[in-house]
């Protein structure tokens, strides 16, 4: 019978291999000649097949077996990795993911994959449309060519720069009258697509029409063999074109006078070296890591949180008793628990890569559906965040990326009409700064029209005409996060209903984060998300109001201040102060939480200046207590919607302090 321990390992490794297949299929689509990528996909599929068969999941093993057959043909250059074939491979991966998810949720992993298997078998037998198209560019012929050392160097450097190498045999129609003119036209097309490295016969002989009907040209190009073939065939009086990839040949280290051999004989030599190198690099890492169930880390974290509470209690007792020996012991324990805290928090850190990995595939599919060309650039995928936060940010990021593609990036025609490249770029960037992680989604699309947002906000009565004149760009774009707000002229399956951005903001704010928008019309938009590193143990400023203690997260505090009552002004019925040249509205905590008034005759106010994005406000409290590490505790299921309170904590003296959510206090 199946051991549940083995099942957990199977699920973990299956998801890793499926993610690897996804990633490498995307790379293969861009670099169809790179055999090392095919090798990586093959290896993951093969491992997945073996594990599935061992665990008794026959449908999973059957589908991966058929994928493996197609990959084997690509690896041996009998098929080319066309977009059509890669599409079917992606569909297979989707089905595999569904089966694995079903197993993870307690199912038997069974799924009807008959049609997919039939598609894969059709590719294997060469009877599918995808195969026919692939065959058009992978026809194997004995194209013979000899390269000297200089030519070989040029080819090698071209490959390093991302070009592919093709040997092309062009056959003229037997009735062609002006053969030299046809040759010139072929060379003209090839020079537009890349660079001609060599021809046989030599160009002088071709110009003098000293050849029969066919000639061979070696070309380096970034276009696919299929594109090159189709463009040459558009020239009249060309009867046949055979394009053969020579990339694998160039990778080998042939002698100077060696004659070309059919390309399928080379892969076994070229693919093994990088595999060995990668294995050698990965081996030490595997020996230094172990898999730990996240539940165990959660238990460890909970126990440590209790330790932090006890530490606070000990520090308070030590301060009250004034015993040198006790103080020294407590200080030593504080240092040790501080180091322990750092280690435990580090153990919970996960690279944002685990979330970002799913986006390239999504962008690819979305671009195809919308008829747009989009390049997704990911920077800083190794940036780490607490596992709790990682689990929550996936869906909001999906929403922002879909908005960027749907509303931001223009169609290729529209982009070219305004002088932009046909392909738009979306930058997804993550980086650390202080105690925060920033995630940036930036596109070079059409940008957001400030006027359109303002008009919509006025129409929806979100703002007044007076507000419209005084709002900054950031405040105007912030209106996009209002519930039901949308400037889209058309509602699509992807976006446009105004449902979602408010949920995106609420999700990030519930994590203690802030999302802001910057945009320039016709140049693009940037959504910047600021997130805390961790949620469990946070630094706070303890304050007191109405005899009760509150904790305000340091991440939201700009500074603290004491101001005289005479420095307060009134504007639009609101108390404000002039703080470092800025008019800052005041929020009285005793009014917000309806606490007893402590002292009406006080001459000074204690202020905590808090910020939300570019907005700041002054929180008026009775007194400032000081900075502390606290453990964030939930208020439980019965108190889920308490205004401006995000949780509670237990202080060193056993008293409970509520944790203020500054984002809710700044409108």
């Amino acid at each position: 019978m199946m051991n549940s321990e083995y099942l957990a390992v199977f699920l973990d490794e299956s998801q890793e291999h499926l993610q690897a297949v996804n990633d490498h299929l995307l790379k293969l689509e861009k670099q169809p000649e790179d055999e090392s990528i095919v090798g990586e996909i093959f290896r993951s599929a093969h491992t997945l097949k073996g594990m599935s068969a061992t665990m008794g999941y026959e449908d999973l093993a059957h589908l991966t077996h058929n994928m493996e057959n197609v990959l084997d043909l690509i690896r041996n250059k009998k098929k080319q990795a066309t977009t059509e074939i890669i599409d079917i491979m992606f569909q297979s991966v989707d089905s595999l993911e569904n089966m694995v998810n079903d197993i993870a949720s307690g199912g038997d992993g069974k799924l009807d994959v008959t049609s997919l298997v039939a598609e894969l078998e059709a590719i294997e037998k060469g009877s599918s449309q995808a195969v026919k198209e692939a065959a058009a560019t992978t026809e194997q012929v004995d194209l013979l060519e000899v390269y000297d050392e200089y030519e070989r160097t040029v080819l090698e450097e071209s490959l390093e720069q991302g070009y592919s190498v093709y040997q092309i045999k062009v056959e003229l129609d037997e009735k062609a009258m002006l053969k030299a003119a046809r040759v010139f036209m072929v060379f003209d097309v090839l020079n537009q697509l890349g660079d001609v490295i060599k021809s046989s016969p030599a160009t002088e002989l071709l110009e003098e029409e000293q050849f029969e009907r066919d000639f061979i040209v070696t070309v380096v190009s970034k276009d696919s063999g299929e594109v090159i073939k189709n463009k040459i065939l558009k020239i009249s009086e060309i009867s046949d074109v055979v394009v053969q990839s020579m990339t694998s040949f160039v990778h080998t280290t042939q002698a100077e006078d060696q004659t070309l051999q059919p390309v399928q004989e080379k892969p076994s030599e070229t693919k093994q070296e990088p595999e060995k190198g990668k294995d050698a690099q990965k081996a030490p890492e595997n020996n230094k890591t172990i898999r730990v169930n996240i539940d165990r880390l959660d238990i460890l974290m909970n126990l440590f949180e209790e330790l932090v509470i006890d530490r606070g209690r000990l520090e308070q007792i030590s301060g009250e008793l004034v015993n040198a020996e006790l103080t020294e012991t407590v200080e030593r324990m504080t240092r040790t628990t501080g180091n322990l805290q750092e280690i435990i928090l580090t153990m919970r850190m996960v690279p944002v890569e685990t979330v970002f990995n799913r986006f390239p595939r999504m962008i690819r599919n979305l671009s195809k559906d919308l008829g747009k060309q989009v390049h997704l650039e990911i920077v800083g995928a190794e940036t780490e965040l607490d596992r709790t936060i990682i689990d929550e940010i996936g869906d909001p990021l999906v929403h922002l990326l879909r908005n960027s593609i749907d509303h931001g990036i223009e169609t290729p025609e529209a982009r070219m009409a305004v002088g932009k490249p046909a392909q738009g770029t979306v930058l997804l960037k993550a980086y650390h700064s202080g105690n925060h992680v920033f995630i940036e989604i930036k596109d070079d699309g059409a940008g957001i029209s400030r006027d359109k947002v303002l008009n919509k906000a006025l129409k929806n009565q979100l703002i007044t005409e007076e507000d419209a004149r005084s709002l900054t760009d950031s405040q105007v774009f912030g209106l996009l996060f209002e519930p039901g707000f949308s400037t889209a002229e058309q509602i699509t399956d992807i976006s446009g209903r105004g449902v979602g951005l408010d949920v995106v903001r609420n999700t990030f704010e519930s994590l203690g984060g802030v999302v802001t928008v910057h945009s320039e019309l016709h140049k693009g938009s940037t959504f910047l998300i600021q997130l805390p590193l961790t949620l469990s143990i946070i630094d706070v400023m303890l304050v007191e109001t109405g005899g009760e203690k509150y904790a305000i997260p340091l991440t939201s505090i700009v500074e603290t201040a004491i101001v005289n009552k005479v420095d307060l002004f009134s504007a639009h019925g609101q108390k404000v102060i002039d703080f470092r040249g800025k008019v800052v509205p005041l929020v009285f905590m005793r009014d917000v939480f309806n606490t007893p008034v402590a002292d009406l005759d006080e001459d000074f106010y204690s202020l905590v200046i808090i910020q939300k994005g570019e907005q700041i406000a002054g929180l008026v409290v009775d007194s400032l207590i000081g900075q502390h590490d606290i453990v964030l505790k939930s208020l439980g299921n019965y108190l889920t919607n308490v205004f401006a309170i995000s949780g509670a904590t237990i202080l060193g003296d056993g008293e409970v302090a509520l944790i203020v959510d500054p984002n809710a206090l700044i409108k």
Side-chain angles (χ1 to χ4, degrees):
M1 294 300 290
M2 189 179 300
N3 189 309
S4 61
E5 190 176 344
Y6 294 145
L7 179 63
V9 174
F10 165 76
L11 291 172
D12 284 345
E13 294 195 358
S14 296
Q15 282 159 353
E16 285 176 8
H17 284 297
L18 286 172
Q19 186 60 54
V21 173
N22 247 324
D23 295 345
H24 286 110
L25 279 174
L26 287 166
K27 289 180 185 172
L28 185 64
E29 190 171 31
K30 293 176 183 171
Q31 301 165 269
E33 306 300 331
D34 193 332
E35 294 174 17
S36 65
I37 298 174
V38 183
E40 293 289 342
I41 302 171
F42 193 91
R43 189 159 38 251
S44 289
H46 186 71
T47 307
L48 192 57
K49 184 182 81 170
M51 290 193 307
S52 307
T54 305
M55 297 293 287
Y57 299 117
E58 294 176 2
D59 287 346
L60 238 160
H62 186 46
L63 185 54
T64 43
H65 174 73
N66 282 277
M67 287 176 65
E68 221 179 44
N69 290 344
V70 174
L71 288 167
D72 193 43
L73 294 174
I74 297 173
R75 188 171 60 173
N76 291 321
K77 292 289 178 187
K78 292 178 182 174
K79 296 279 182 292
Q80 192 173 33
T82 61
T83 302
E84 291 75 15
I85 291 180
I86 287 177
D87 279 343
I88 295 171
M89 299 295 276
F90 272 132
Q91 290 172 27
S92 304
V93 172
D94 286 343
S95 295
L96 292 173
E97 283 178 340
N98 289 337
M99 285 188 264
V100 170
N101 290 337
D102 181 56
I103 295 167
S105 56
D108 55 9
K110 288 192 177 299
L111 187 71
D112 183 5
V113 293
T114 313
S115 60
L116 266 179
V117 169
E119 285 272 12
L120 291 167
E121 286 178 349
I123 293 173
E124 194 182 338
K125 293 172 184 170
S127 56
S128 78
Q129 183 61 27
V131 168
K132 287 174 185 171
E133 291 177 14
T137 57
T138 56
E139 187 176 349
Q140 299 300 310
V141 293
D142 292 332
L143 298 182
L144 301 178
E145 187 63 280
V146 176
Y147 300 107
D148 61 26
E149 188 174 349
Y150 171 75
E151 290 162 348
R152 196 187 306 280
T153 304
V154 172
L155 295 178
E156 288 170 353
E157 288 179 352
S158 300
L159 280 177
E160 289 173 2
Q161 293 170 15
Y163 287 86
S164 296
V165 180
Y166 299 103
Q167 205 177 98
I168 304 167
K169 182 181 179 183
V170 182
E171 186 175 317
L172 303 185
D173 191 282
E174 58 183 357
K175 295 178 182 176
M177 297 296 290
L178 299 171
K179 294 197 294 183
R182 301 301 161 204
V183 170
F184 172 79
M185 293 170 76
V186 170
F187 273 61
D188 187 44
V189 167
L190 293 176
N191 282 323
Q192 289 176 26
L193 298 172
D195 290 317
V196 175
I197 305 301
K198 184 170 185 172
S199 69
S200 182
T203 50
E204 298 80 13
L205 298 176
L206 291 173
E207 288 172 359
E208 294 170 3
E209 299 189 354
Q210 293 185 25
F211 66 104
E212 296 296 328
R213 285 175 51 202
D214 55 62
F215 56 95
I216 297 173
V217 189
T218 302
V219 176
V220 294
S221 171
K222 287 191 175 179
D223 286 287
S224 69
E226 191 179 347
V227 170
I228 295 173
K229 177 176 180 173
N230 290 337
K231 292 209 171 181
I232 297 176
L233 283 173
K234 286 182 180 176
I235 301 170
S236 60
E237 297 187 332
I238 300 291
S239 63
D240 191 24
V241 176
V242 176
V243 180
Q244 183 166 314
S245 168
M246 300 305 296
T247 302
S248 60
F249 166 75
V250 179
H251 278 310
T252 62
T253 54
Q254 283 190 313
E256 184 177 338
D257 59 351
Q258 189 172 348
T259 302
L260 288 185
Q261 299 298 322
V263 287
Q264 60 266 35
E265 296 180 11
K266 300 296 176 187
S268 60
E269 295 175 19
T270 55
K271 66 181 174 54
Q272 287 176 0
E273 288 185 9
E275 287 176 10
K276 284 178 184 175
K278 288 183 179 179
D279 289 345
Q281 289 175 351
K282 286 180 179 177
E285 291 178 13
N286 292 336
N287 292 336
K288 291 181 180 176
T289 59
I290 58 168
R291 289 177 187 275
V292 178
N293 192 309
I294 187 68
D295 292 340
R296 294 188 182 182
L297 289 183
D298 286 342
I299 293 170
L300 181 62
M301 192 67 193
N302 289 336
L303 291 173
F304 181 73
E305 287 172 359
E306 296 301 322
L307 191 59
V308 170
I309 293 170
D310 290 340
R311 182 181 70 188
R313 176 69 179 145
L314 274 176
E315 285 172 346
Q316 185 168 9
I317 293 171
S318 167
E320 290 169 1
L321 295 180
V322 195
N323 180 297
E325 199 171 343
L326 176 61
T327 303
E328 183 185 343
T329 305
V330 170
E331 285 177 352
R332 194 165 57 245
M333 194 193 84
T334 301
R335 284 196 298 274
T336 305
T337 52
N339 293 335
L340 184 60
Q341 175 180 333
E342 190 175 335
I343 290 171
I344 293 176
L345 291 179
T346 304
M347 286 165 64
R348 292 181 54 84
M349 290 296 189
V350 179
V352 291
E353 184 181 24
T354 53
V355 178
F356 286 7
N357 274 344
R358 65 165 127 153
F359 297 143
R361 170 82 186 283
M362 182 193 80
I363 298 294
R364 173 190 182 272
N365 294 346
L366 203 56
S367 305
K368 289 183 76 174
D369 292 345
L370 295 172
K372 297 180 179 180
Q373 297 177 19
V374 184
H375 168 64
L376 175 65
E377 185 178 350
I378 295 179
V379 177
E382 70 284 356
T383 308
E384 292 183 330
L385 258 176
D386 190 285
R387 170 64 186 258
T388 312
I389 299 175
I390 287 281
D391 289 342
E392 299 293 328
I393 63 173
D395 289 343
L397 289 179
V398 166
H399 195 95
L400 292 178
L401 284 168
R402 288 168 71 90
N403 267 9
S404 285
I405 308 294
D406 195 21
H407 298 315
I409 301 294
E410 312 93 327
T411 60
E413 298 77 21
R415 291 180 63 86
M416 292 172 76
V418 295
K420 290 181 180 179
Q423 186 182 55
T425 300
V426 175
L427 172 69
L428 179 59
K429 183 178 179 183
Y431 55 94
H432 277 130
S433 179
N435 285 325
H436 293 93
V437 166
F438 289 84
I439 298 177
E440 190 175 307
I441 297 175
K442 182 177 183 180
D443 68 64
D444 63 348
I448 302 169
S449 168
R450 174 190 163 95
D451 293 339
K452 195 181 277 188
V453 175
L454 278 178
N455 291 335
K456 189 75 177 182
L458 287 168
K459 185 180 174 183
N460 291 355
Q461 298 183 331
L462 291 173
I463 56 171
T464 63
E465 292 282 355
E466 187 181 351
D467 293 334
R469 286 191 289 274
S470 62
L471 290 178
T472 64
D473 285 350
S474 181
Q475 290 170 325
V476 171
F477 297 138
L479 294 168
L480 294 170
F481 295 99
E482 292 298 322
F485 194 95
S486 174
T487 58
E489 292 168 3
Q490 286 186 332
I491 294 172
T492 67
D493 292 340
I494 296 160
S495 54
R497 294 183 186 277
V499 178
L501 273 185
D502 60 320
V503 177
V504 168
R505 181 179 63 179
N506 291 341
T507 304
F508 286 130
E509 289 186 354
S510 70
L511 296 169
V514 178
V515 53
T516 52
V517 189
H518 304 277
S519 185
E520 199 169 344
L521 198 57
H522 307 307
K523 292 190 176 177
S525 306
T526 302
F527 285 77
L528 184 65
I529 301 134
Q530 175 185 319
L531 291 165
L533 277 176
T534 181
L535 294 179
S536 303
I537 299 174
I538 56 175
D539 287 330
V540 298
M541 169 65 73
L542 280 180
V543 299
E544 188 168 340
T545 292
E548 296 177 6
K549 288 176 182 169
Y550 294 87
I552 304 172
L554 282 189
T555 51
S556 298
I557 297 177
V558 180
E559 62 180 286
T560 57
I562 306 290
V563 296
N564 196 312
K565 274 186 176 179
V566 297
D567 294 330
L568 267 60
F569 305 94
S570 288
H572 305 288
Q574 165 105 39
K575 297 274 187 186
V576 299
I577 58 166
D578 181 354
F579 186 74
R580 303 191 193 284
K582 285 186 178 177
V583 177
V584 176
L586 298 183
V587 179
F588 288 80
M589 271 187 65
R590 64 179 63 154
D591 295 338
V592 174
F593 298 120
N594 197 24
T595 57
V597 177
D599 182 9
L600 291 174
D601 297 329
E602 59 190 3
D603 294 328
F604 294 91
Y605 283 142
S606 297
L607 283 187
V608 180
I609 308 296
I610 55 175
Q611 69 173 359
K612 174 187 177 184
E614 294 182 358
Q615 297 173 281
I616 60 174
L619 200 55
V620 182
V621 300
D622 288 351
S623 63
L624 305 169
I625 298 175
Q627 182 181 335
H628 286 265
D629 280 352
I630 59 142
V631 177
L632 179 64
K633 296 284 186 185
S634 163
L635 291 179
N637 296 330
Y638 296 105
L639 297 170
T640 53
N641 290 312
V642 180
F643 175 71
I645 295 296
S646 58
T649 187
I650 302 171
L651 302 176
D653 56 3
E655 191 177 344
V656 173
L658 295 174
I659 301 169
V660 177
D661 176 11
N663 290 327
L665 297 175
I666 301 178
K667 294 294 182 185

